[in-house]
Amino acid sequence: MLNIDDTIAAVSTATVPAGTAGRSIIRICGPDVFDVLKKTVTTSESIQRNHITSCVVHVDTDLDIDGWLYAFFQPHSYTGQDLAELHLDACGAVIETILEKLYQSVRPASPGEFTQRAFLNGKMDLTQAEAVAEIVSAANTTQLAAAERLLHGRFSDTIALLRSRIIDLLGHLEAGLDFSEEDIVFISTADALKEVDSIRQQLADLLDGSIRCERIIDMDSVGLAGVPNAGKSRLLNALLGHSRSIVSGIEATTRDVLTGLLQLEQTDCVLFDCAGLLDESRQNTRINQLSHEASLAALNTAAIVLFCIDAGKQDCKAERQMRQQITAETVLFVMTQIDTVPPEQMARQQAHLQSLFNAEFLPTSAATEEGLEPLKKRIQAELLRLRSADAEYESRHMINQRHEQKLAEAIKLLDEAGKEIKAESTEIAAMLLRQGYERLGGLETEDISETILDDIFSRFCIGK
């Protein structure tokens, strides 16, 4: 494990794109923070506890830049140690030069090292530390809200209460062992068994009723469906803003599932295009059949399907057959290539398609970009609706794989403890209860090996 008494530094904000300037935050933590800063920074006033002051950073002999210095003295800081942040508006090259100067006196921070110090110094428990990583990696507002609930300690508070009940029960059982020769009953077998069953059931409810963080961290997928040459590839490229899929007038050009990150105002999603769906008469080769099956499998697991139909299409028999095979919960119907339809015919053609499918159609053109922004807004609205409609995200605990494993182990130990209490093997029951208590302690701060800590914090970004 790294030495937490070293003074460390890192940029804690996103990298400024080349050729641009932006706000960057350099975070410095450790016992020598303010001595190190004196070599590089001149402040307008003396540095005070939990104070913001304007400053000048001496980048080079011929370059000074203005900034703001945020000072936090131990123990009233994020890490529990002396900590400072330099807030600077500068290009990436200038930030790198400042870091190089600082690294002459301090060590570069490792991924997650600031949060690791916060954990080791008792500023947060391990579950809350993991929540910081979830906040940083959140791809939408739902993920962010879930991670914030984890950070605020709801899960930890529940675990602490159950551990307290285990300790109380353990105290009664061990007192009975200590005074076994006396005519004193600290807790009856029936009451002890009832309490074990109650704690075990609450743990089981917590495990069964919680949502895995991984379930909501994965971005929603939005798939483009349609028959070959429905304009899906052009639409994919237009929505992404770059060429991700080959566009060709030859049918069935797309064979594999092609994906890209679609960034919307309030959320991100994975947009994907796959081979065009085929009617039965065209699944005449094994390759075509496998391609069709793979496309359906991908589409039917998507959060949203964009069902694409060429705006000029009249006979939609194949499309109507394909629509029956798509079982995704949310399907948006999209008219593609509307630039190929004369304006005076558009309203009639849109009404024709809406009548055939009994659904609203969103008109788009990849060539002119007409209708793309309304389509993006509709996709975003549907994604947010799907999230908000799932009330479980508002009330249930969020857990990750480590939490799930610890809960399962504790439940098993309490099951065994209940059996031993029933058999009046109090000493063995007490041992099992203590092990269950320790397993749950591993969710917070106790009994955590250095290897596990290193693994958890290695998943963080540098600067967090």
Side-chain angles (χ1 to χ4, degrees):
M1 183 176 292
L2 298 170
N3 186 353
I4 66 170
D5 292 324
D6 290 343
T7 300
I8 57 175
V11 176
S12 62
T13 46
T15 303
V16 177
T20 65
R23 173 63 60 91
S24 293
I25 299 174
I26 297 176
R27 181 176 285 175
I28 314 162
C29 170
D32 301 325
V33 168
F34 299 109
D35 290 335
V36 168
L37 285 174
K38 289 177 183 177
K39 302 175 184 178
T40 308
V41 177
T42 300
T43 57
S44 59
E45 55 186 306
S46 61
I47 298 174
Q48 302 176 38
R49 179 187 300 272
N50 299 341
H51 188 67
I52 304 171
T53 183
S54 59
C55 66
V56 175
V57 180
H58 309 297
V59 183
D60 209 338
T61 52
D62 299 322
L63 177 61
D64 293 339
I65 62 169
D66 295 329
W68 294 93
L69 173 65
Y70 289 60
F72 305 92
F73 288 23
Q74 64 170 334
H76 306 292
S77 72
Y78 177 72
T79 63
Q81 299 174 314
D82 286 345
L83 185 146
E85 291 182 351
L86 287 172
H87 291 234
L88 308 168
D89 293 310
C91 66
V94 169
I95 299 300
E96 285 299 320
T97 302
I98 296 171
L99 277 177
E100 288 174 7
K101 289 191 69 175
L102 290 172
Y103 289 157
Q104 295 173 12
S105 304
V106 305
R107 173 171 62 77
S110 297
E113 190 169 357
F114 291 97
T115 302
Q116 186 179 35
R117 292 187 177 199
F119 165 71
L120 293 172
N121 289 322
K123 302 298 287 186
M124 61 179 69
D125 64 37
L126 192 55
T127 296
Q128 291 172 308
E130 289 169 314
V132 174
E134 308 296 357
I135 287 173
V136 173
S137 63
N140 58 51
T141 53
T142 301
Q143 295 168 12
L144 182 60
E148 286 176 339
R149 288 196 295 274
L150 198 62
L151 179 62
H152 292 156
R154 272 189 56 200
F155 180 72
S156 297
D157 290 345
T158 302
I159 293 298
L161 179 60
L162 292 172
R163 293 184 78 222
S164 176
R165 289 178 61 187
I166 293 174
I167 279 293
D168 287 345
L169 176 58
L170 194 56
H172 287 304
L173 292 177
E174 291 186 339
L177 290 171
D178 290 340
F179 295 93
S180 58
E181 296 180 1
E182 305 291 335
D183 189 20
I184 303 174
V185 177
F186 290 90
I187 187 169
S188 68
T189 299
D191 287 343
L193 189 59
K194 182 178 178 181
E195 180 66 356
V196 167
D197 287 343
S198 174
I199 297 170
R200 183 232 171 261
Q201 188 58 52
Q202 286 195 43
L203 287 171
D205 291 344
L206 184 60
L207 180 59
D208 294 339
S210 295
I211 303 169
R212 283 281 298 272
C213 290
E214 291 84 354
R215 175 178 163 187
I216 62 168
I217 287 173
D218 293 336
M219 280 184 283
D220 290 313
S221 60
V222 176
L224 286 84
V227 299
N229 269 13
K232 300 185 285 83
S233 297
R234 288 187 175 88
L235 183 59
L236 175 85
N237 293 338
L239 288 171
L240 295 178
H242 60 85
S243 296
R244 181 66 186 87
S245 183
I246 298 172
V247 175
S248 171
I250 302 172
E251 287 192 357
T253 301
T254 305
R255 285 290 188 184
D256 299 320
V257 176
L258 302 176
T259 64
L261 177 63
L262 179 60
Q263 295 178 304
L264 304 170
E265 289 183 3
Q266 298 182 52
T267 188
D268 296 341
C269 64
V270 176
L271 187 66
F272 70 88
D273 180 23
C274 47
L277 301 176
L278 304 172
D279 58 30
E280 291 181 4
S281 65
R282 301 178 66 184
Q283 297 177 40
N284 51 3
T285 68
R286 184 58 177 161
I287 290 179
N288 283 350
Q289 184 181 0
L290 290 173
S291 175
H292 178 83
E293 291 173 356
S295 295
L296 269 182
L299 292 167
N300 286 335
T301 58
I304 298 174
V305 170
L306 305 181
F307 195 85
C308 301
I309 298 181
D310 189 320
K313 196 75 179 287
Q314 295 298 319
D315 179 13
C316 296
K317 182 179 178 181
E319 284 85 352
R320 295 176 71 181
Q321 181 184 345
M322 298 308 133
R323 173 64 185 93
Q324 299 304 313
Q325 299 179 54
I326 296 175
T327 59
E329 180 181 346
T330 303
V331 178
L332 300 179
F333 290 85
V334 180
M335 291 177 67
T336 60
Q337 305 175 128
I338 62 172
D339 54 288
T340 63
V341 177
E344 63 273 13
Q345 298 180 19
M346 261 300 300
R348 184 169 67 252
Q349 180 63 8
Q350 187 172 359
H352 169 65
L353 291 175
Q354 290 180 165
S355 175
L356 282 178
F357 290 89
N358 192 29
E360 175 191 4
F361 270 77
L362 301 168
T364 65
S365 168
T368 66
E369 299 187 353
E370 183 179 352
L372 295 187
E373 285 306 314
L375 177 58
K376 288 180 181 179
K377 290 180 180 179
R378 183 63 180 275
I379 293 170
Q380 175 174 272
E382 290 298 325
L383 289 173
L384 296 177
R385 179 188 65 79
L386 290 171
R387 291 296 191 186
S388 62
D390 196 350
E392 64 184 4
Y393 289 104
E394 298 299 324
S395 60
R396 291 164 68 177
H397 289 285
M398 317 307 296
I399 62 174
N400 61 27
Q401 185 176 10
R402 188 182 68 85
H403 305 152
E404 186 175 39
Q405 180 183 350
K406 293 289 185 182
L407 286 171
E409 290 174 355
I411 290 169
K412 184 177 179 181
L413 287 165
L414 263 69
D415 272 336
E416 294 174 0
K419 293 175 183 176
E420 296 299 334
I421 289 174
K422 204 169 186 179
E424 298 189 355
S425 300
T426 307
E427 193 167 350
I428 297 176
M431 178 191 70
L432 292 167
L433 285 173
R434 186 168 295 281
Q435 289 179 7
Y437 175 85
E438 290 170 354
R439 289 293 192 281
L440 294 177
L443 291 167
E444 298 170 328
T445 58
E446 301 173 26
D447 192 30
I448 304 293
S449 72
E450 290 186 7
T451 302
I452 293 175
L453 287 179
D454 289 342
D455 176 66
I456 290 171
F457 290 104
S458 67
R459 304 170 195 167
F460 282 61
C461 301
I462 292 175
K464 302 301 179 185

